[in-house]
Amino acid sequence: MPELPEVESLRLSLKPYIVGKTIQSVIVHKPKLVSSAGTVRTPSEQKKREFETKLVNKKILDITRVAKNMIIHLDSEEIILVHLKMTGQLVYQEQGSPAILGGHPIELSESTLPNKHSHIIFTLNEGVMYYNDIRMFGYVLLYPNIDILYQEGHFEAIGLDPLDNNFTYEYLLKALKKKKSKLKSVLLGQSIVTGLGNIYADEACFQARILPYRLASSLKPKEVKALYNAIVSIISKAVAMGGSSVANYIMADGSRGTYAREHNVYGKAGLPCNVCGNPLQKMIINSRTTVFCKFCQK
Ligand SMILES: [Zn+2]
């Protein structure tokens, strides 16, 4: 499952290649991917036809992101919402040039494009963009404009982005005060700050030296400050490094994310703590394995 840094790295890598290009044709092989979001989806032939016809001759103006949703903005005000979920991938290729891959690594895509996982193919005036997905939990949806996404409550439960200027220490302090559940579970919940999945939530708690099972409301201002600094520095660094290759993500330029080398606790239960040398502990919080150091974290 990609976390925010992997999606942000992909967005930044694709942006210079697709912005300014015009869509010449679209082929949808799997209608369910463009029909709706959610776990149970009914493929709609009508949505597939709309997707294939409405996008023709539209120019790509920008690619932005809300949490792990990528939003492609068109000159018609229409937008394409892309969510990679577990195993989705976006690949851009210009004739005679190496492919720009981002998202879940699909070995076949490194040699063959399109391939059996290429379910949506956008031919641009220069280059082709493929939406590839092995398990097809992802979705690529067309909306008349971005306001509709907000009106439909698509982003309602989503808190602030750690890279957003409005995400401040004061904001975090106020928000955590109201939460009577475990810190790890609040961070995973996305309602205060978005983009911290299992890896980055554990790493942030470790860097801030706070035990993940503490009640969020019990944090002292000094601890919130440490947590705030940890979240911002970890996410910024991970984006710059292309995310964590443990999540099997590759950057849009084809290189593997290298942030995994920076992990202090994630996936390291039982191994010695990098700081004090005692074995790291684990427990399950919100059905997710949580790793921490009971000596370094208070
Ligand atoms: Zn330790």
Side-chain angles (χ1 to χ4, degrees):
M1 175 74 85
E3 295 198 21
L4 182 142
E6 289 78 37
V7 177
E8 178 65 357
S9 292
L10 169 60
R11 181 185 78 84
L12 292 173
S13 310
L14 280 178
K15 195 171 167 169
Y17 292 96
I18 66 165
V19 170
K21 302 270 164 73
T22 300
I23 299 169
Q24 288 189 330
S25 68
V26 183
I27 299 169
V28 176
H29 291 302
K30 286 284 184 292
K32 91 166 194 178
L33 291 171
V34 300
S35 299
S36 57
T39 42
V40 181
R41 286 183 250 169
T42 314
S44 158
E45 277 301 320
Q46 189 199 335
K47 288 263 170 88
K48 167 186 145 79
R49 270 195 306 278
E50 278 177 16
F51 199 91
E52 287 177 330
T53 54
K54 283 189 170 175
L55 291 174
V56 174
N57 290 327
K58 303 287 165 69
K59 188 174 173 182
I60 297 172
L61 296 186
D62 202 1
I63 173 166
T64 60
R65 178 183 60 77
V66 176
K68 293 192 289 189
N69 302 276
M70 276 183 285
I71 302 166
I72 298 173
H73 301 255
L74 304 170
D75 61 353
S76 53
E77 287 195 357
E78 286 162 310
I79 57 129
I80 305 167
L81 178 76
V82 183
H83 201 307
L84 303 173
K85 288 286 177 181
M86 304 285 286
T87 56
Q89 172 190 69
L90 279 175
V91 183
Y92 174 80
Q93 188 169 38
E94 284 179 19
Q95 212 170 11
S97 300
I100 314 272
L101 295 93
H104 188 77
I106 300 175
E107 212 180 325
L108 195 54
S109 302
E110 298 182 32
S111 59
T112 313
L113 287 166
N115 58 53
K116 63 181 177 181
H117 305 298
S118 304
H119 306 305
I120 305 172
I121 301 171
F122 302 86
T123 302
L124 309 180
N125 60 313
E126 192 183 359
V128 181
M129 186 168 71
Y130 303 91
Y131 177 79
N132 302 334
D133 198 335
I134 296 175
R135 298 177 68 185
M136 289 188 281
F137 295 133
Y139 45 86
V140 183
L141 304 175
L142 174 64
Y143 288 90
N145 58 64
I146 184 125
D147 297 336
I148 290 186
L149 280 188
Y150 286 92
Q151 282 160 19
E152 286 183 354
H154 206 92
F155 303 136
E156 221 155 53
I158 295 179
L160 288 178
D161 197 288
L163 303 173
D164 186 326
N165 289 335
N166 293 319
F167 180 65
T168 60
Y169 156 68
E170 290 77 14
Y171 164 83
L172 188 62
L173 182 67
K174 206 173 152 190
L176 291 178
K177 269 274 162 278
K178 296 175 196 153
K179 294 284 183 182
K180 308 281 181 218
S181 40
K182 293 185 178 77
L183 177 60
K184 169 80 181 267
S185 133
V186 168
L187 295 177
L188 288 178
Q190 313 292 308
S191 66
I192 292 180
V193 53
T194 180
L196 294 172
N198 210 29
I199 300 175
Y200 299 103
D202 280 5
E203 294 297 327
C205 289
F206 179 80
Q207 189 169 312
R209 304 186 145 234
I210 301 167
L211 288 165
Y213 52 82
R214 290 257 311 272
L215 287 188
S217 57
S218 76
L219 266 60
K220 297 181 183 70
K222 200 174 71 182
E223 293 174 319
V224 175
K225 184 81 192 176
L227 181 65
Y228 171 78
N229 289 336
I231 292 170
V232 172
S233 72
I234 285 170
I235 294 291
S236 309
K237 195 169 179 189
V239 169
M241 297 178 83
S244 300
S245 55
V246 282
N248 279 334
Y249 270 66
I250 42 184
M251 293 180 78
D253 66 1
S255 64
R256 308 269 162 182
T258 51
Y259 190 76
R261 285 186 217 136
E262 305 287 317
H263 293 167
N264 281 303
V265 284
Y266 176 79
K268 296 189 170 180
L271 294 175
C273 167
N274 283 342
V275 175
C276 71
N278 286 300
L280 296 170
Q281 315 282 307
K282 70 172 173 182
M283 68 160 57
I284 304 293
I285 300 178
N286 277 28
S287 357
R288 307 299 300 274
T289 300
T290 298
V291 185
F292 56 94
C293 176
K294 70 176 180 184
F295 299 97
C296 292
Q297 292 167 258
K298 303 288 174 207

Coordinates of all heavy atoms in Angstrom, one line a residue, residues 231-260:
I231 N 6.9 14.5 12.2 CA 6.0 14.2 11.1 C 6.5 15.0 9.9 O 6.7 14.4 8.8 CB 4.6 14.6 11.4 CG1 4.0 13.6 12.4 CG2 3.7 14.6 10.1 CD1 2.6 14.0 13.0
V232 N 6.7 16.3 10.1 CA 7.1 17.1 8.9 C 8.5 16.7 8.4 O 8.6 16.6 7.1 CB 7.1 18.6 9.3 CG1 7.7 19.5 8.2 CG2 5.7 19.1 9.7
S233 N 9.5 16.4 9.2 CA 10.8 16.1 8.7 C 10.8 14.7 8.0 O 11.4 14.5 7.0 CB 11.8 16.2 9.8 OG 11.7 15.2 10.7
I234 N 10.1 13.8 8.6 CA 10.0 12.4 8.0 C 9.4 12.4 6.7 O 9.9 11.8 5.7 CB 9.4 11.4 9.0 CG1 10.3 11.1 10.2 CG2 8.9 10.1 8.3 CD1 9.7 10.3 11.3
I235 N 8.2 13.1 6.6 CA 7.5 13.1 5.3 C 8.3 13.8 4.2 O 8.4 13.3 3.1 CB 6.1 13.7 5.5 CG1 5.2 12.8 6.4 CG2 5.4 13.9 4.1 CD1 4.8 11.4 5.8
S236 N 8.9 15.0 4.6 CA 9.6 15.7 3.6 C 10.8 14.9 3.1 O 11.1 14.9 1.9 CB 10.2 17.0 4.2 OG 9.1 17.7 4.8
K237 N 11.5 14.3 4.0 CA 12.7 13.5 3.6 C 12.3 12.3 2.8 O 12.9 12.0 1.8 CB 13.4 13.0 4.9 CG 14.8 12.5 4.6 CD 15.5 12.3 6.0 CE 16.9 11.8 5.7 NZ 17.6 11.3 6.9
A238 N 11.2 11.6 3.1 CA 10.7 10.5 2.4 C 10.3 10.9 1.0 O 10.6 10.1 0.0 CB 9.6 9.8 3.1
V239 N 9.6 12.0 0.8 CA 9.3 12.5 -0.6 C 10.5 12.7 -1.4 O 10.7 12.2 -2.5 CB 8.4 13.8 -0.5 CG1 8.3 14.4 -1.9 CG2 7.1 13.5 0.1
A240 N 11.5 13.4 -0.8 CA 12.8 13.7 -1.5 C 13.5 12.4 -1.9 O 14.2 12.3 -2.9 CB 13.6 14.5 -0.6
M241 N 13.3 11.3 -1.1 CA 14.1 10.1 -1.3 C 13.2 9.1 -2.1 O 13.6 8.0 -2.4 CB 14.5 9.5 0.0 CG 15.5 10.3 0.7 SD 16.0 9.6 2.3 CE 17.3 8.5 1.7
G242 N 12.0 9.5 -2.5 CA 11.2 8.7 -3.4 C 10.4 7.6 -2.6 O 9.9 6.6 -3.1
G243 N 10.2 7.9 -1.3 CA 9.4 6.9 -0.5 C 10.2 5.7 -0.1 O 11.4 5.7 -0.2
S244 N 9.5 4.7 0.4 CA 10.1 3.5 1.0 C 10.0 2.3 0.0 O 8.9 1.9 -0.3 CB 9.4 3.2 2.3 OG 9.5 4.2 3.2
S245 N 11.1 1.8 -0.4 CA 11.0 0.7 -1.3 C 10.4 -0.6 -0.7 O 10.0 -1.5 -1.4 CB 12.4 0.4 -2.0 OG 13.3 0.2 -1.0
V246 N 10.4 -0.6 0.7 CA 9.7 -1.8 1.3 C 8.3 -1.9 0.8 O 7.7 -3.0 0.8 CB 9.7 -1.7 2.8 CG1 11.0 -2.1 3.4 CG2 9.2 -0.4 3.4
A247 N 7.7 -0.8 0.5 CA 6.3 -0.8 0.0 C 6.3 -1.2 -1.5 O 5.3 -1.2 -2.1 CB 5.6 0.5 0.2
N248 N 7.5 -1.6 -2.0 CA 7.6 -2.0 -3.4 C 7.2 -0.9 -4.3 O 6.6 -1.2 -5.4 CB 6.8 -3.2 -3.7 CG 7.6 -4.4 -3.2 OD1 8.8 -4.4 -3.2 ND2 6.9 -5.5 -2.9
Y249 N 7.5 0.3 -4.0 CA 7.2 1.4 -4.9 C 8.5 1.9 -5.7 O 9.6 1.9 -5.1 CB 6.5 2.6 -4.2 CG 5.1 2.3 -4.3 CD1 4.5 1.3 -3.6 CD2 4.3 3.1 -5.1 CE1 3.2 0.9 -3.7 CE2 2.9 2.8 -5.2 CZ 2.4 1.7 -4.5 OH 1.1 1.4 -4.7
I250 N 8.3 2.3 -6.9 CA 9.4 2.8 -7.6 C 9.1 4.2 -8.1 O 7.9 4.5 -8.3 CB 9.8 1.9 -8.8 CG1 8.6 1.4 -9.6 CG2 10.6 0.8 -8.4 CD1 8.9 0.5 -10.7
M251 N 10.0 5.1 -8.2 CA 9.8 6.4 -8.6 C 9.5 6.5 -10.0 O 9.8 5.6 -10.8 CB 11.0 7.3 -8.2 CG 11.3 7.4 -6.7 SD 12.7 8.4 -6.4 CE 12.0 10.0 -6.7
A252 N 9.0 7.7 -10.4 CA 8.6 7.8 -11.8 C 9.8 7.8 -12.8 O 9.7 7.5 -13.9 CB 7.8 9.1 -12.1
D253 N 11.0 8.1 -12.2 CA 12.2 8.0 -13.1 C 12.7 6.5 -13.1 O 13.8 6.3 -13.7 CB 13.2 9.0 -12.7 CG 13.8 8.7 -11.3 OD1 13.4 7.7 -10.7 OD2 14.7 9.4 -10.9
G254 N 12.0 5.6 -12.5 CA 12.4 4.2 -12.6 C 13.3 3.8 -11.4 O 13.5 2.6 -11.1
S255 N 13.8 4.7 -10.6 CA 14.7 4.4 -9.5 C 13.8 3.9 -8.3 O 12.7 4.3 -8.2 CB 15.6 5.5 -9.1 OG 14.8 6.6 -8.6
R256 N 14.4 3.1 -7.5 CA 13.6 2.6 -6.3 C 13.7 3.7 -5.2 O 14.7 4.3 -5.0 CB 14.2 1.3 -5.8 CG 14.4 0.2 -6.8 CD 13.2 -0.7 -7.0 NE 13.3 -1.4 -8.2 CZ 12.3 -2.2 -8.6 NH1 11.3 -2.4 -7.9 NH2 12.4 -2.8 -9.8
G257 N 12.6 3.8 -4.5 CA 12.6 4.6 -3.3 C 13.7 4.2 -2.3 O 13.9 3.0 -2.2
T258 N 14.3 5.1 -1.7 CA 15.4 4.7 -0.8 C 15.2 5.0 0.6 O 16.0 4.8 1.5 CB 16.8 5.4 -1.2 OG1 16.5 6.8 -1.3 CG2 17.3 4.8 -2.5
Y259 N 14.0 5.5 1.0 CA 13.7 5.9 2.3 C 13.8 4.7 3.3 O 14.0 4.9 4.5 CB 12.4 6.7 2.5 CG 12.2 7.3 3.8 CD1 12.9 8.4 4.2 CD2 11.5 6.7 4.8 CE1 12.9 9.0 5.4 CE2 11.4 7.2 6.1 CZ 12.1 8.4 6.4 OH 12.0 8.9 7.6
A260 N 13.5 3.5 2.8 CA 13.5 2.3 3.7 C 14.8 2.2 4.5 O 14.8 1.7 5.6 CB 13.3 1.1 2.8

